[in-house]
Amino acid sequence: MHSDIFTVSIIIPCFNEEEVISSTFNKLREVLSSVDWEAELIFVNDGSRDNTLNLLKKLRGEDTTVRILSFARNFGHQSAVSAGLKHAKGDAAIIIDADLQDPPELMNRMVEMWRAGQGKIIHGKRTARLRENLFKKITAKLFYRLINILSDVSLPLDTGDFRLIDRQVIDSFNQLPEHNKYIRGLFPWLGYKAVPLEYKRDPRTAGVTKYTMKKMTKLAANGLLSFSKKPLSISISIGMFSIIFAILFASYALLSYFSPKITAIPGWTSTLIVIIFFSGFQILILGILGSYIGMIFDEVKGRPEYVIEEII
Ligand code: UDP
Ligand code: MG
């Protein structure tokens, strides 16, 4: 299937990773020294505000096959991965985190599976998360299940961006025009044959997570909004239901108004409940619609996804 010598691009997004970047680099080199394929290391500096870029430049002094893409500011993990894939020259690419949470030893296993023709995508599936906080574990578990139920394509559970992808998949991915990318959903959406490789997710070697609550929420919202239109149809069902309810309630009100037996003015409690109830629904529906309009707005603007300050 492949000629003897082939190259795999290894894409490492880094944001404020000064504490881990050197040991990650050494670990990668150690693993790569014992494999029978060529590797191209692409570090994407996602606008780090610490010493990451300087350290990367220094590491490049030791190994000129290393390439560095450096963003002008922090554009986010998904944009960093996209940039790496755009610039990858290999016959395949592996996306791996900078903090050694995804064991680099598995890269060779991924390449073997890919070479044996098992699939065009070999994605790491997390069977356990070691020493990650309970909140992250629970929210991640729930999120991957929720998005899979809501999504129009089936998305593998507990799967992040650690994966190997074939050149053909890279080329298809690079043609996607959307800017708010939920990358771990776009590969299944592309539809090439994907096989999981199970692994235990190690704890971070040093430093703290660069995925703040805000970034995690944004990733989750992007994933849900760009992979499902079900919230819209749910809002339509709720709307229909509230209209039917309103008709019934109005009929009852009219009937009691014309009835000779009427003795009291309808109570303010019921009026209040109805108003609160329906305005609640309206806000909910407006919110859902607004989210989609927000997505459309982002895409229509057609801004580039990132601005690269330098390519080394
Ligand atoms: N990252 C990035 N840009 C960001 C946030 C994170 O490039 O804005 C990188 C980070 O350097 C790491 C990877 O994305 O290589 C995963 O981030 P992290 O390990 O902090 O997330 P967690 O593993 O805690 O989910
Ligand atoms: Mg991590």
Side-chain angles (χ1 to χ4, degrees):
M1 179 178 156
H2 295 277
S3 60
D4 287 285
I5 271 290
F6 59 91
T7 309
V8 178
S9 305
I10 296 164
I11 296 160
I12 311 120
C14 321
F15 174 57
N16 294 344
E17 297 287 12
E18 63 180 7
E19 285 154 298
V20 297
I21 203 69
S22 302
S23 53
T24 301
F25 176 78
N26 291 331
K27 179 79 197 178
L28 287 172
R29 288 237 300 194
E30 182 198 316
V31 170
L32 293 172
S33 66
S34 62
V35 299
D36 61 350
W37 38 275
E38 298 276 326
E40 170 198 48
L41 291 177
I42 303 179
F43 287 91
V44 186
N45 172 41
D46 182 13
S48 297
R49 289 180 280 269
D50 66 357
N51 211 21
T52 302
L53 183 59
N54 287 333
L55 288 171
L56 284 174
K57 286 179 177 168
K58 215 179 93 201
L59 297 171
R60 191 181 178 273
E62 298 166 24
D63 181 349
T64 50
T65 61
V66 167
R67 293 164 70 203
I68 305 167
L69 307 179
S70 187
F71 283 2
R73 65 165 171 87
N74 180 233
F75 281 89
H77 175 229
Q78 303 288 290
S79 299
V81 172
S82 301
L85 288 172
K86 272 258 153 66
H87 289 80
K89 296 196 186 116
D91 303 295
I94 294 177
I95 303 160
I96 188 165
D97 281 357
D99 57 2
L100 296 177
Q101 281 199 281
D102 309 318
E105 294 84 1
L106 289 179
M107 294 191 305
N108 196 37
R109 184 83 199 96
M110 286 179 166
V111 172
E112 279 171 5
M113 288 167 78
W114 164 67
R115 256 208 281 194
Q118 291 191 27
K120 289 218 163 116
I121 301 173
I122 316 292
H123 54 89
K125 186 171 166 23
R126 302 154 180 176
T127 55
R129 288 167 176 267
L130 306 174
R131 292 217 311 273
E132 277 192 286
N133 71 48
L134 196 63
F135 177 77
K136 176 113 179 181
K137 283 184 187 168
I138 292 173
T139 50
K141 266 254 178 305
L142 288 177
F143 172 72
Y144 286 123
R145 274 142 194 88
L146 176 71
I147 192 167
N148 198 29
I149 292 168
L150 291 177
S151 165
D152 307 324
V153 283
S154 119
L155 305 177
L157 297 173
D158 306 320
T159 300
D161 289 323
F162 179 40
R163 67 182 73 213
L164 177 145
I165 45 181
D166 183 86
R167 166 51 51 190
Q168 204 181 349
V169 185
I170 303 172
D171 289 341
S172 307
F173 180 85
N174 287 341
Q175 279 165 19
L176 295 174
E178 68 188 86
H179 294 122
N180 270 315
K181 290 197 181 80
Y182 179 68
I183 294 178
R184 57 198 69 172
L186 286 169
F187 288 123
W189 180 86
L190 284 171
Y192 294 97
K193 184 172 185 223
V195 286
L197 173 62
E198 299 197 337
Y199 74 107
K200 289 191 178 65
R201 188 158 162 90
D202 290 328
R204 230 178 201 277
T205 40
V208 293
T209 178
K210 303 301 172 314
Y211 255 97
T212 53
M213 198 56 202
K214 198 173 145 199
K215 284 181 177 166
M216 224 148 69
T217 315
K218 185 170 174 245
L219 180 74
N222 267 350
L224 287 171
L225 290 172
S226 59
F227 276 88
S228 170
K229 284 190 273 307
K230 284 193 186 122
L232 265 182
S233 48
I234 293 168
S235 77
I236 291 165
S237 313
I238 295 174
M240 300 275 258
F241 174 80
S242 49
I243 289 165
I244 293 168
F245 185 80
I247 291 169
L248 291 176
F249 201 83
S251 320
Y252 167 77
L254 278 172
L255 217 67
S256 55
Y257 181 79
F258 289 115
S259 158
K261 276 186 258 167
I262 187 162
T263 50
I265 299 161
W268 63 272
T269 314
S270 57
T271 315
L272 205 70
I273 287 171
V274 169
I275 291 168
I276 293 168
F277 200 50
F278 288 113
S279 42
F281 275 139
Q282 282 176 6
I283 291 165
L284 178 76
I285 292 159
L286 282 176
I288 294 170
L289 287 175
S291 312
Y292 282 95
I293 293 169
M295 290 288 281
I296 295 167
F297 178 59
D298 276 345
E299 295 301 327
V300 167
K301 279 190 295 193
R303 280 187 192 150
E305 203 186 338
Y306 47 80
V307 178
I308 292 178
E309 198 169 77
E310 56 183 321
I311 297 181
I312 300 157

